[in-house]
Structures are given as structure tokens and as C-alpha cells.
């Protein structure tokens, strides 16, 4: 009981510190920092731009002013991120053996491999599962219910999904079936026909029916080689991760390949394809007698190199035993830049300032670092990383995960912040709501620590787990920097207040930010991080996957 009283006193002291008017987490301080970071001077903070460099320098100045230790390279706050454009020469093949009859399909001849297949290796699997449409859209359309595909190759059909599917609402999930199979369900490999256009806009945009994002900046001129200025080859793919990594095979296949694959089955491909075209129900079954041998073999040539930078800082822990372990906090500080083309009639603003996306997270992270620096010390060390290039494809966080500044196995949890300054869809009913994603997936204990931290606040927030639902149509769990850490097995929590009509538009401006709400969410993150940082053990990693979704509340037993 005495230990509990001491803990509650420490939590109360931290909450009082976070809530005081001169606290780094006060609305006034958050407003000051965000006003500059979302100003026209930074020109939308696009990756590789001067504006993003100005933002990095400003963040570093705030850290230095607070006496916070640099965690970057060469004694600085900066970590250089190498973004590589890569040309591929593929020699990959897939050999299919059906009841003793074998055929080998070369890349581009009946089968198409991704341009990045990872390192050279040969993989054989004799467990092949047909999963129907391969979707988990809702309770009525979950092809993985009761199905264990871990370590198996999965095959699916049907570009539009089952009958009753709204292709616009399900667009992202239909396009992400390979990710669902290999990353979430643990499949060994995925095979499917090429995707068909589903209409609507692409990219990282919000739900169908929401306003379209601002026009993309004009593409840069083609890269040129040195010397005479000969145009360099155009990359086949862009990556910040190490070439040669082990990547689960994800291939697309022609009718000829699929005919042969199903040739030993009582249900033939032509019949299944016809049923999928009219969106009839599809069975799920194992393709008995089938063995697949993936020969992954590609030569990579880096034809383009660009640099951007993460900003990183550390506050050392106080416990001799725990100070070499970390709680990581993150946000992305880039945005989408400005429209370099001709503006439409009556338009004069071309800069997408990104006050909420993710100026709010960037600013909250400055406040958190400074609040921890002036508050009671924690047993574990605290790592703060402002990631670059999230809008381009999680560049900064993916690079960090492959080139960490501290050992990844020493990171007990990562708390990620992306858009916490508004109400979802501008609804007044969302005034006290924050959406939390992912806390239950790797560590049940981390989820429960979040619940306790929220309860310790003078005014607890409404925690909404809707976006953590396994059927979330926007697949938010996979779309911000926390996923780069989760993919390495690190427990995460993602904090967001959701999308709104100004998302990726020039109208995402600082005067629309609710700084009181932003301050409250930052205090919740502060309390959650402090709780993890003072545990005598790392949050247990039980890896039970998503359990909390729509309508969920409270702790998990």
C-alpha cells in the first residue's frame, strides 16, 4: 500500500508539472513553437527542402536551449537519412510442383515479383492455402476467421471483394491484402492476380468522400550523372532500408500460372475466377500436393541518392541498471510542401503549412522533451526522434529502424504522435477524444499502463480505439512512423485525433488548432511515457494482436 501511495504521489506531481502555465506542455508554449513551424517561412516542410532544414534547425535549437543531450551523429542532434533510388535486374523464378508435375515461371513470364525482393535466397513451402477474397473487412467478410496461415503461402482472387463490398470504402484494404497476409497474419508468401483499378484517388489520402489532398508539388527534374550530364536511369524503387533484407515474397500471377497452380484441386481456377467476377462467395481450402520454390535473385544498382535528416535527442535515465534501456517518443516533422504549378482561379495560397499534420505532433514532442528535462528524472533513458519523410513513405523511421542510434532491443516502447490538434471531421462531440492505436497488439501490459495513465489525469480523455480495429478501412496501424518500430517487435502506441477536411490542404493552419486539447493529449503521453520509464521491467511482449476496436474501453485481463 505504501508503494502505491508513493507511486500515486509521483504521478500527481508529474501531472501538476505538466499542467502549470509555464510548463513546456502549456497551450501558450505549444502555440509559440507551432506558429513558427507551420509558418510560410518553412514552405510546407517538404522532404529534401530548405524548409525542412529550417524546421530541423529550430527543433535542435529548442533542445539545446533546454540542455537536452544530442543523440544524433558526430555529437549533433541530426541523423542523416539516405534515400536510395534503385534499379533492379531480376533473375527470380517460382517453381510450382503439383502432384509431381513441375513448371518454373520466370519473373515477367506468368509471374511478377516486386522490384525489391530482398536478399538472394531460395525458399520452399508445401503448405498453400486458398483464402477466397483474402480480406478482413468486417464481421461478415473475414476470410481469415478460424484460419491459421502462419508460415503458409496464401492465394486469393477477386479485385472487388465479396458481394456487398463498397469498393471505394474498402479500396485501401483491397489493395493491402498482401500486407494483411504477410505482416498481420504471418503468411510465408502471397500470390494473387494483378490488382485492377478501383477508382478514386490514390496515395495516403483520407477516407473516400473526404476532401482530396492538395495538389502534389511538381516532380523534380530527372537525376543526371556527373560529367557530361547524361540522364541517370530512372529507379525501379526507392528505399531507405538495407538492400538484401529478408522480405516475404509477394507475387502477382497470370491466368496461365493460376490454372496450373489449381490443376490438382477439385475446384479449378476458371470456376473460382468466374465466381469472383460476380462477387459470389468463395470457399477456403488447402491446395493439397502443391510445393512452391521461390528462387529470389535480383541485382541492385543504386542510381539516385538523396539525403534528409532525423532529429534526435536523449535524456539519460537515473537508474544504474535501467538507464541503458529506453522509452522512445516520435513524430514526423515533414509535410507536403507547396504547389509549384499554376493556381486555380481565385486562389492565392500555395503553401500547405501542415499545422496539424504533423506540426502538432512535432510541437508536442518538443514540449515533452523539455517537460521531462525539467521534471523528475526517470529510471530509464528517454529517446526523442523527429522523423523526416513520413509523407514520402516513412523514410525517417524506416531508416532509423535499420540504422538505430540506440540498440532496438533496449527500446521498451515507442509512443508516436501524428495529428493531435483538432477534432476528427471537425465534430464538437470529439472535443475530449483521442484515438489510440496499437497498444494491445504487442504488449497487453502497455495497453493497461495507458489506461492507468489516463485515469491519473485531472481530467481524463476519452480514449477511442476505433482506429485500432483490425477492420479499420484506413489501416492506420500501418501508416505512420510507429509501424517501423512495431515491425521490429517493439510495443507501440499511436496517438492521433483523426482526419478532418483540411488534411493535406493549404487550410491546415495554426489558427484552427485547439491548443488546450493538444496540451491535454501531450500530458497523457507524458504520463504514459513516465509510467513505462519507471517500470522495473520492460512491458511484457505477449504479441496477441489487435483486440481493442470499436466500442472498446478499459483494461485487458
Amino acid at each position: 500500500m505504501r508503494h502505491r501511495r508513493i507511486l500515486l504521489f509521483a504521478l500527481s506531481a508529474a501531472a501538476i508539472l505538466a499542467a502549470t502555465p509555464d510548463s513546456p506542455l502549456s497551450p501558450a508554449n505549444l502555440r509559440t513553437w507551432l506558429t513558427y513551424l507551420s509558418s510560410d517561412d518553412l514552405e510546407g516542410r517538404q522532404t529534401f527542402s530548405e524548409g525542412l532544414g529550417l524546421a530541423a534547425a529550430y527543433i535542435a535549437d529548442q533542445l539545446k536551449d533546454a540542455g537536452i543531450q544530442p543523440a544524433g551523429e558526430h555529437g549533433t542532434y541530426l541523423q542523416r537519412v539516405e534515400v536510395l533510388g534503385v534499379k533492379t535486374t531480376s533473375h527470380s523464378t517460382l517453381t510450382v510442383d503439383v502432384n509431381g508435375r513441375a513448371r518454373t515461371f520466370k519473373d515477367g513470364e506468368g509471374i511478377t515479383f516486386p522490384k525489391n525482393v530482398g536478399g538472394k535466397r531460395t525458399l520452399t513451402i508445401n503448405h498453400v492455402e486458398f483464402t477466397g477474397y483474402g480480406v478482413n473487412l468486417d464481421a461478415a467478410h473475414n476470410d481469415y476467421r478460424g484460419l491459421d496461415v502462419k508460415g503458409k503461402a496464401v492465394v486469393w482472387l477477386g479485385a472487388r471483394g465479396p458481394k456487398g463490398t463498397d469498393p471505394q470504402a474498402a479500396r485501401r484494404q483491397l489493395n493491402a491484402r498482401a500486407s494483411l497476409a504477410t505482416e498481420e497474419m504471418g503468411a510465408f508468401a502471397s500470390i494473387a492476380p494483378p490488382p485492377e483499378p478501383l477508382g478514386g484517388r490514390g496515395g495516403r489520402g483520407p477516407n473516400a468522400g473526404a476532401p482530396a489532398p492538395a495538389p502534389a508539388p511538381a516532380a523534380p527534374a530527372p537525376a543526371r550523372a556527373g560529367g557530361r550530364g547524361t540522364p541517370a536511369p530512372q529507379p525501379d524503387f526507392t528505399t531507405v532500408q538495407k538492400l538484401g533484407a529478408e522480405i516475404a515474397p509477394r507475387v502477382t500471377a497470370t491466368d496461365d500460372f493460376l490454372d496450373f497452380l489449381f490443376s490438382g484441386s477439385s475446384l479449378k481456377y476458371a470456376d473460382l475466377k468466374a465466381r469472383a467476377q460476380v462477387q459470389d462467395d468463395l470457399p477456403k481450402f488447402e491446395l493439397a500436393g502443391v510445393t512452391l520454390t521461390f528462387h529470389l535473385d535480383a541485382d541492385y544498382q543504386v542510381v539516385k541518392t538523396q539525403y534528409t535528416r532525423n532529429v534526435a535527442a536523449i535524456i539519460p535515465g537515473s537508474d544504474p541498471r535501467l538507464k541503458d534501456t529506453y522509452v522512445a517518443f516520435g513524430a514526423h516533422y515533414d509535410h507536403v510542401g507547396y504547389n509549384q504549378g499554376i493556381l486555380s482561379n481565385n486562389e492565392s495560397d500555395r503553401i500547405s503549412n501542415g499545422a496539424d499534420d504533423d506540426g502538432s505532433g512535432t510541437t508536442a514532442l518538443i514540449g515533452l522533451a523539455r517537460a521531462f528535462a525539467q521534471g523528475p528524472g526517470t529510471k530509464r533513458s528517454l529517446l526523442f526522434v523527429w522523423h523526416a519523410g513520413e509523407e514520402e513513405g516513412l523514410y525517417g523511421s524506416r531508416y532509423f529502424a535499420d540504422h538505430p542510434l540506440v540498440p532496438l532491443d533496449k527500446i521498451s516502447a515507442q509512443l508516436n504522435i501524428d495529428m493531435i490538434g483538432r477534432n476528427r471531421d471537425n465534430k464538437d462531440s470529439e472535443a475530449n477524444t483521442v484515438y489510440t492505436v496499437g497498444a494491445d497488439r504487442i504488449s497487453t501490459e502497455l495497453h493497461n499502463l495507458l489506461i492507468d495513465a489516463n485515469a491519473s489525469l485531472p481530467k481524463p480523455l476519452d480514449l477511442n480505439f476505433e482506429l485500432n480495429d483490425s477492420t479499420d478501412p484506413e489501416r492506420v496501424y500501418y501508416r505512420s512512423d510507429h509501424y517501423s518500430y512495431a515491425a521490429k517487435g517493439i510495443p507501440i502506441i499511436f496517438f492521433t485525433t483523426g482526419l478532418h477536411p483540411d488534411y493535406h490542404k493549404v487550410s491546415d493552419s495554426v489558427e484552427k488548432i485547439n491548443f488546450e486539447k493538444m496540451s491535454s493529449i501531450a500530458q497523457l503521453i507524458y504520463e504514459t511515457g513516465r509510467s513505462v520509464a519507471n517500470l522495473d521491467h520492460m512491458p511484457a511482449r505477449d504479441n496477441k494482436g489487435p483486440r481493442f476496436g470499436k466500442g472498446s474501453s478499459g483494461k485487458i485481463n
Side-chain angles (χ1 to χ4, degrees):
M1 181 64 71
R2 180 175 179 273
H3 174 73
R4 177 172 172 79
R5 283 198 300 269
I6 293 171
L7 176 62
L8 289 173
F9 175 79
L11 287 172
S12 299
I16 292 169
L17 168 72
T20 54
D22 59 346
S23 161
L25 298 181
S26 70
N29 278 319
L30 297 175
R31 183 187 298 274
T32 297
W33 298 321
L34 183 54
T35 297
Y36 175 73
L37 287 166
S38 62
S39 69
D40 283 357
D41 291 348
L42 274 61
E43 298 172 349
R45 307 188 309 276
Q46 188 176 21
T47 306
F48 311 121
S49 72
E50 182 180 18
L52 191 68
L54 291 172
Y58 183 78
I59 295 166
D61 284 346
Q62 298 306 316
L63 297 169
K64 184 177 180 180
D65 178 67
I68 299 171
Q69 180 177 312
E73 297 160 336
H74 312 299
T76 73
Y77 292 101
L78 304 178
Q79 178 191 34
R80 188 166 73 180
V81 176
E82 291 188 343
V83 183
L84 306 178
V86 182
K87 194 75 176 173
T88 302
T89 302
S90 177
H91 313 288
S92 296
T93 62
L94 176 52
T95 299
V96 184
D97 186 300
V98 182
N99 297 325
R101 294 186 304 122
R103 288 179 63 184
T104 296
F105 296 84
K106 296 180 180 179
D107 191 3
E109 299 177 10
I111 199 85
T112 301
F113 288 82
K115 294 299 183 181
N116 183 7
V117 296
K120 297 182 181 183
R121 61 204 195 281
T122 298
L123 307 169
T124 299
I125 184 73
N126 56 13
H127 295 288
V128 183
E129 196 84 32
F130 179 61
T131 60
Y133 291 97
V135 296
N136 180 12
L137 300 174
D138 51 44
H141 302 101
N142 181 4
D143 288 319
Y144 290 98
R145 183 184 294 110
L147 197 62
D148 182 7
V149 298
K150 190 171 184 179
K152 300 179 181 180
V154 299
V155 186
W156 67 82
L157 305 176
R160 295 178 296 160
K163 195 169 293 180
T165 301
D166 178 348
Q168 290 292 340
R171 173 181 58 83
R172 189 178 299 279
Q173 286 186 311
L174 291 170
N175 286 339
R177 283 178 279 185
S179 171
L180 172 64
T182 59
E183 295 181 37
E184 187 165 333
M185 305 308 299
F188 174 90
S190 68
I191 302 171
E196 297 176 9
L198 293 171
R201 55 184 187 277
R204 187 177 169 268
N207 291 326
R224 293 185 176 272
R228 298 178 182 177
T230 305
Q234 288 299 300
D236 290 319
F237 67 93
T238 300
T239 186
V240 294
Q241 296 174 284
K242 292 179 179 178
L243 295 172
E246 292 189 2
I247 300 174
R250 303 178 183 180
V251 297
T252 58
T254 63
D255 286 350
D256 178 43
F257 176 95
L258 292 164
D259 269 328
F260 184 71
L261 181 67
F262 284 86
S263 62
S265 171
S266 59
L267 292 170
K268 303 305 180 187
Y269 168 65
D271 296 331
L272 293 168
K273 179 182 177 181
R275 292 168 69 170
Q277 286 176 333
V278 295
Q279 298 179 278
D280 280 349
D281 288 342
L282 293 177
K284 274 80 74 177
F285 58 91
E286 185 172 357
L287 277 71
V290 174
T291 299
L292 304 176
T293 301
F294 295 86
H295 180 60
L296 304 173
D297 183 1
D299 296 324
Y300 303 121
Q301 179 190 9
V302 177
V303 297
K304 184 177 183 180
T305 300
Q306 293 175 284
Y307 297 135
T308 185
R309 284 166 176 79
N310 292 330
V311 183
I314 243 174
I315 297 176
S318 60
D319 187 285
R321 183 175 62 89
L322 298 176
K323 68 180 181 180
D324 67 340
T325 63
Y326 304 86
V327 179
F329 300 81
H332 75 90
Y333 74 106
D334 64 300
H335 194 50
V336 298
Y338 60 93
N339 185 350
Q340 299 177 26
I342 299 173
L343 298 179
S344 302
N345 292 338
N346 301 319
E347 290 185 353
S348 59
D349 190 354
R350 63 176 69 245
I351 298 175
S352 295
N353 299 109
D356 194 23
D357 184 17
D358 183 27
S360 60
T362 297
T363 300
L365 198 56
I366 294 172
L368 284 163
R370 293 176 65 113
F372 276 112
Q374 75 178 49
T378 58
K379 295 178 181 180
R380 282 191 171 79
S381 296
L382 308 174
L383 174 69
F384 304 88
V385 184
W386 290 258
H387 302 106
E390 189 267 1
E391 301 286 0
E392 302 291 333
L394 313 186
Y395 284 171
S397 59
R398 282 178 170 162
Y399 186 86
F400 183 94
D402 267 11
H403 305 84
L405 296 170
V406 302
L408 290 183
D409 63 356
K410 298 293 186 180
I411 298 179
S412 57
Q414 198 266 352
L415 310 183
N416 184 44
I417 317 166
D418 192 349
M419 298 178 65
I420 59 165
R422 301 275 296 270
N423 292 346
R424 186 179 183 184
D425 296 327
N426 289 341
K427 294 179 180 177
D428 292 340
S429 59
E430 298 269 317
N432 197 47
T433 298
V434 60
Y435 291 83
T436 55
V437 178
D440 62 333
R441 298 193 178 210
I442 297 174
S443 172
T444 299
E445 185 175 13
L446 180 62
H447 170 90
N448 290 339
L449 289 170
L450 167 68
I451 301 301
D452 284 341
N454 188 52
S456 75
L457 296 176
K459 181 183 177 184
L461 289 149
D462 296 328
L463 303 184
N464 190 312
F465 298 94
E466 177 184 339
L467 300 181
N468 187 55
D469 199 289
S470 60
T471 63
D472 168 33
E474 289 300 304
R475 291 177 61 77
V476 168
Y477 179 72
Y478 301 93
R479 289 176 52 207
S480 191
D481 291 313
H482 56 274
Y483 185 66
S484 300
Y485 294 82
K488 299 290 188 178
I490 298 170
I492 65 91
I493 307 176
F494 176 40
F495 298 84
T496 185
T497 49
L499 300 177
H500 46 71
D502 299 306
Y503 173 75
H504 278 195
K505 299 176 76 174
V506 297
S507 49
D508 181 7
S509 51
V510 70
E511 67 272 9
K512 297 180 180 179
I513 297 296
N514 182 340
F515 286 99
E516 293 288 343
K517 180 175 184 177
M518 189 172 150
S519 175
S520 296
I521 296 170
Q523 290 171 35
L524 170 61
I525 299 166
Y526 179 93
E527 295 298 339
T528 305
R530 169 169 289 281
S531 180
V532 177
N534 285 324
L535 275 183
D536 62 2
H537 62 278
M538 287 192 174
R541 304 181 184 190
D542 49 6
N543 293 293
K544 292 187 176 180
R547 286 154 289 161
F548 259 47
K550 298 175 182 177
S552 299
S553 62
K555 291 186 175 182
I556 301 175
N557 295 324

